[in-house]
Structure formats: C-alpha cells, structure tokens
Amino acid sequence: MSEFDNLSSENQEYVLNLPYHLAQASMADDLHELLTEFEFLEHKILISSPQPLIEDYDLALQPNILIIENMKNDFKLLQSFFRLSSNILADYKTQLVEQLWGRMQNFETPKITELLKEAKQSKTAWLRPLKPSLTHPGGNLIRTLTGHTSFIWAVAAIPNSHQAISGSIDGIIKVWNLDTGEELFTFNAHSDAINSIAVTSDAKRAVSASSDKTLKVWDLETQKQILTLYGHQESVNAVAITPNNKWVISGSDDNTLKVWDLEKGEELFTLSSHTGNITSVNITSYGKLVVSGSYDRTIKVWDLQKRKAILTLKGHKQVVNTLTITADNKYLVSGDFAGVIKVWNLLNGRKALSIKAHSLSVQKVAVTPDGKQIISASYDNTLKVWDFKIGKEISSFNGHSDHVTALAITSDGKQVVSGAEDDTLKVWNLVAEEKNIYITSHAKAVSVLAISLDSKRVISGSHDNTVKVWNTQTGEELSHLQEHPNWVKSVTVTPNNKQIISGSYEGTIKVWDLATGAEIFTKAIHNLSVIALLPTPEGKRIISASIDKTIKVWELKTGKEVFSFVGHNYGVSAIVITPDAKCVISSSYDKTLKIWDLETGKELYTLIGHTDAIEALTITADGKRIISGSHDTTIKIWNLATGKQDFTLNGHSYRITTLAVTPDSKRVISGSYDTTIKVWNLETGKEEFTLTNHKSSINAIKVTPDGQRFISVADDNMLKLWDLTTGEEIASFAGESKLRCCAITPDGAIIIAGEESGKVHFLELEETNKLRC
C-alpha cells in the first residue's frame, strides 16, 4: 500500500501542491527527493494528469532553486519523459511503470536507477521491456498531440502564441496549447477533407480550405464560423492571407487561384494560367507578390496589383507540392513529388540550390524566421532540417508512423509542429540539449513477425522492404537482410531453424541463411503480394499464397514449382496446413474456403457459406475443424472430414480481423474491427467472454503455449495479456503508435510486438505475489 493512499481530500490537495511549497521554501533536496519518488509520481498521475507534474519540474528548475547539476539533469530528463509519455498516461494512467522502463533504462544516474527499481516493485503483474524500445527523453521530440481520428493534412502556428491549429480529412479543425498539449476547442468545419489552414497576423481569424470546394473563415476569439467562401469548382488545396489581413488567396484543383475580400467574403478576381491542379500558395511579407505551385510542374509568381503572372519557374520534374517564401522575400523554397527541394532567387527566378531531400514526396517545406534552416516533411514519414546556404542535412526527426503531411514553425522559430497520416501531431524542438535518440527498429511499419522453433531468434518484416533478425533474450539486432523490391508481407522459419523465407508485396520470395544472414536465392514466385508462407513439416517444401489468387508449392532447395493451386476468383487471404500435412486450406476474398490435396495438387472441395470476404483462418490442433472469420461479421466452424458447416458464431458487429485456437482445440478467440475480443467454446458453440478493454480495431491474437493466456494487439497502441480462464486483463503495454503484429516464443517466456512506427518491442511478464505495503 502506498503512503499516499486513503488521504483525506484536504491532505490530498496538500500533497498535490507539495512541490510548490517546497519550491517556495527553496528546499532543493526535499524537492529532488519528492520529484524522483515513484509513489508520489504515480499518485499524482492517477488522481490528476501528467501536465501538473511537468509544471512541478518547471518549479524545481527555477534559477532561485539552488540545486547541483546532477539534480538538474534528473529533473530535465523526467520532465522530458512526462512530456513524451503525456498522451499515453492521459489515456492509460496505470502505464507509468511500463513507460519508465520503456524510455529510461539507459539513464543510469543513481536517482533514475532507484526510481526504476521502485517502479518495478509496484505491480503484481506487468510487461517489462527488455530494452528501452520507446523514444528516449532529451531529444528533439517534445510531445505528441492526440485527438484527431483521421489523417491530418493541415497545420498552422498561431502568431505570437504557443498555440497551433490543425485540420483533418474528416473535416474537423482543432486548436491546441503547445505548452500543455491541451486541446482548446474544436470546429466541426467542413463536409470533406481540410487541405490547408492560414491564420491572420493578428491571430484573430483562421481560414480553412477544403475538398468540399469551399473556404471557411473562423473567429478564433469567439470560436465561431464567420463566412463561407463559394466559387471554386473543385477541391481547394491551398490558402494564404495577405500581411494586412484584408485578402485571402486560394488555390484549387480547378487550376485557378482566387482572391477574396476577407471582411466581406466576396471574390475579387481570379488568376488563371496554370494547366494543372494548384497545390500550394504563398505571399511575400509586403503583400504584393503571390507564388503558386502546380501539378503542371511549374511555379508561377503573380503580381496582385497587375493581376497576372510575371514569372514562371521551371525545373521540377514532378508535381510541385509545396512552397514557402523566406522572411526577407529574397528566396522561394519548393518541394516536389520526387522528394526534391529547390531554392530559387525570387528576384530573377534562378535556381540557387537543389537537394534530393527525401526518398518519397516532399509534402511541406518551411523556413525558420532567421532564414538559416529549411524544414521539410515527407511521405517517407520523416521531417528533415537543412542548412539553407549549402543544402546539407542537419538532422532528421523520426517519430511519425505514417506520411508526414503538415508542417508549421512557431513564430519564435524554436519549435516545429508536424501533422501526419498517423492521426497525430508532434511538437519538436529545433535544437535539443541531448543527441536525438530514437529506437526505430525499422524505418517503417513492422508488418509481420516469426520466431524460430528454438525460441532464440525473432524475424521481422517491414514496409521499409527489409527483414531483420533479433536475439529474443536481449532484443539485440543480429542481422539486417538486404532489401526486397517492395515491402515485406510475410516471413517464416524452416523447421530445422536454418533458413528464413520472406515474401514481398510485388510477389518476390527470398530465402536466407538464418545463421549468417546471407541470401541463398531470390525468385519471382507470384505476380502480386505474397500474403503467407508455410513450410511443410519436414521442411523440404514451402507453400506460398498470394493476392494473385494462387497458392504455390515449391522446393525449398531449388525454388522449383511443384504445384500451383488455382481456383479462387479473388486474392487468397490466408492459408493453413492440416496437422497431418496432407492438405492445405485457403481462404479468399471471394467468400470461399478451399481444401487442396498436398500429394496430388488437386482441389478436394470448396466451402461455401460466408456472404463476404474471409480475412481470418485457423485450424484446431487436432485437425478436425477449420475456423473462418469474415467481413460478414460471422465466424464459421467447419468439419474437415465432411466439409460441412458445424455451426456459425454470431456476436461481432464488424468484420473479423484475427482468430486463434487454444492448444486443446476447445476454444477459439476472435478479434474484430468492432474493437472487441470474444472467447468461444468450440464444443457448445457458445460465447464465454466478450472483452472490451481495447479502444480500436484488433490486429492480432496469439495464445500462450500452455493455453492459459493470450495476447492481443490493436490500433489503440496497446498490447494486452489476458487470462483465458477468467477473461481478466493481467497486464498491458502501450506503444507509441498502432501495434500491427505480435508473437510469443515457443517457451512462452518472451512476447514480441511490432509497431506501425517500425519499433519492435521485447516484453517479459514480471509477476510478484503481492504489492508493496
């Protein structure tokens, strides 16, 4: 029991404000002790939120508090930790222990070490990260802002404030306090995606541009809509406001720019010269020139008084996606679909610099107010900082788990706010005190995991086109295997633990030596994505399934095709082998299952009954039943011997995403897009439990080898460990983005989870008989 439990409301208030009183009394040692004491930190999180703790460290770091350098470093690290974890701890207050161990293991100061030890002893059951696999405190990333439920395509900093405004493809606008991470208010703005937002220089109004073909003007003080601007015939992609706050300029897919009177909401005139969709608009600080970028690969400079284009800049080989003008109005910076950034002399139109900045499209560029640095945001999930004069990369910000589509620099030039298709905003320090450390196992989402039968190795496949091999006991990366032509969709290990087989999105399969990481051979087995790979029990043949509608059986040694099973009308979604290794069962988006004879290569029969695509498939360990989960929200149990349907399990309200069967063949566990997990009795066909602790779609479920527990991962960033007897949640772990896949070692000792950000987490269940008392 904690010393802070069962306090009266009066004493509760005193304890919450104790850091303030200690700071007022300049009691530095006592303040240091309190703000590094786990029980106090845990108590304050549980009954309040992370932000008051962050402010407690501000109190402790005041100049009048005389503390030694080591104390100061502890405070800075912990404050940075709470900022990084604030969005997670706000939603999951009991995750403090896991977050501390996931971020702070490498900081071995006496107080941090003691804090981790206290945290470790505070729970009866928790999932301990074997390595610090979450972003470390002290780097460029300050905090993550969550609240949008869809892609963020627009963000703007509100001048002379620590606030930002963001817009999503769901038509929602949100205003944020960047210091606290608080969502201040929301506009239910448009009926379609918000593509761009601009704010007046006096910070009183905002203008949003949308795919619904309109612009809307908002009063940021009264939090009300003032005007709607109608006139564009297609999506409005870009908006800018003149420095005197009198005019709005918008760019559209109708190939035009329109100039509007901001007070009256009237269209003043239209600028037409581009031959493609307009993607971006910017205005010089003196308000006379407008620049626009377009799908026609050109940049045009317009004179607002003359109402015509005075210059056309050519040089981009792809769509010009984004533009910005330097504060001194001398230079224009542009970014394109090919990942190239160009700097132009705005006075004469000549190119000053060209940078191959990103591997994918540059979505936004910005220049710091002092004109010394360019910031770029890209579809490669990163932001990069460049030296303006020479185009050299200064740093790379890796934290988003999907395309970075929006970017703004605060008016003081110290922070960057980015928005992405991972539905989050992130706030970054342009200059960090510590080296920017990110534990990014892969550069992009982890799509699949496989474990060797001896439990010693984990293999991960990723959207970054690579395969990696890890030591399960330490989480250490052992091999980084050469790139596939496209993202890795499937991996498996041969029964003898000697080879890895990986399948790629475009149909290529590679065979690797597990011990050395050497590639044995590459073969284009399929025409489209290889969605599953299974070795036969003796390990001589591999079965692969593809979106190209086929299942192929081929020799592992030579890559020679033995059989090709053709019969599905749409892509194959999953395959399993019967325990006796005589048959392969396949499920398809064509609503059917098929049973194939592995000896003859013949189709034995087709199972028909689902009314929509089948996404999930499994088979009982005794080989008697096939279980399929469909987009029609049902689970069907089939008798393998007869090909007949035994019964249908109804209860989910959305498509079934994953299935797992217990080793005794008595239960099946289903996960759904409806955010629930259900445990079913296969003998009675009855539902035993419905588990509702997840907040988003369930992506994967694995049962422990002893059949007593199972794990689940979901789009809510959470991994949960469940008791199969009681249906109770035993422990959980929060990642930094959606958890896409999971695995359990055959000895049941280690849990592995793959994250959309590219991280791979290695977790071990810590259990004690009793809590501290």
Side-chain angles (χ1 to χ4, degrees), residues 494-696:
T494 53
N496 63 5
N497 284 321
K498 290 186 176 180
Q499 287 100 28
I500 300 166
I501 301 97
S502 55
S504 178
Y505 183 76
E506 88 302 329
T508 299
I509 288 173
K510 289 180 180 283
V511 179
W512 316 82
D513 186 292
L514 178 58
T516 66
E519 182 181 325
I520 298 171
F521 68 80
T522 298
K523 194 153 188 178
I525 302 280
H526 291 277
N527 299 321
L528 293 171
S529 177
V530 182
I531 58 93
L533 290 163
L534 291 175
T536 53
E538 84 290 342
K540 293 182 179 179
R541 292 177 175 180
I542 302 296
I543 305 161
S544 56
S546 172
I547 295 296
D548 69 7
K549 310 176 191 178
T550 70
I551 301 106
K552 292 183 183 287
V553 182
W554 44 281
E555 297 288 350
L556 176 60
K557 205 169 190 179
T558 63
K560 181 182 177 182
E561 184 179 308
V562 180
F563 298 126
S564 183
F565 299 148
V566 180
H568 282 295
N569 295 320
Y570 290 98
V572 180
S573 58
I575 53 172
V576 292
I577 303 176
T578 55
D580 61 10
K582 291 183 177 180
C583 298
V584 174
I585 299 108
S586 59
S587 62
S588 170
Y589 295 100
D590 67 8
K591 312 174 193 178
T592 71
L593 298 102
K594 289 182 182 290
I595 290 87
W596 312 85
D597 190 306
L598 262 178
E599 294 179 359
T600 66
K602 303 292 184 182
E603 180 185 328
L604 298 177
Y605 43 90
T606 299
L607 308 181
I608 299 173
H610 282 293
T611 59
D612 207 337
I614 303 167
E615 186 172 345
L617 174 67
T618 190
I619 189 169
T620 54
D622 60 15
K624 292 179 180 180
R625 285 171 160 173
I626 304 164
I627 305 166
S628 55
S630 169
H631 288 201
D632 65 13
T633 76
T634 71
I635 300 152
K636 292 187 180 292
I637 317 298
W638 311 83
N639 187 303
L640 181 59
T642 65
K644 303 291 184 182
Q645 187 181 144
D646 285 346
F647 44 84
T648 297
L649 307 179
N650 293 287
H652 284 292
S653 60
Y654 219 133
R655 63 184 175 93
I656 313 301
T657 54
T658 183
L659 293 168
V661 179
T662 54
D664 61 8
S665 302
K666 291 181 179 180
R667 289 169 169 170
V668 64
I669 307 154
S670 57
S672 170
Y673 199 80
D674 67 12
T675 79
T676 70
I677 295 167
K678 291 181 182 289
V679 181
W680 310 83
N681 188 306
L682 284 176
E683 294 176 338
T684 65
K686 301 293 184 184
E687 178 186 320
E688 293 186 356
F689 305 116
T690 295
L691 310 176
T692 59
N693 292 14
H694 280 293
K695 298 179 180 178
S696 298

Side-chain angles (χ1 to χ4, degrees), residues 432-449:
E433 290 189 12
E434 302 291 333
K435 185 180 178 182
N436 197 357
I437 303 170
Y438 297 100
I439 307 299
T440 306
S441 308
H442 284 280
K444 292 184 181 178
V446 182
S447 50
V448 64
L449 295 166

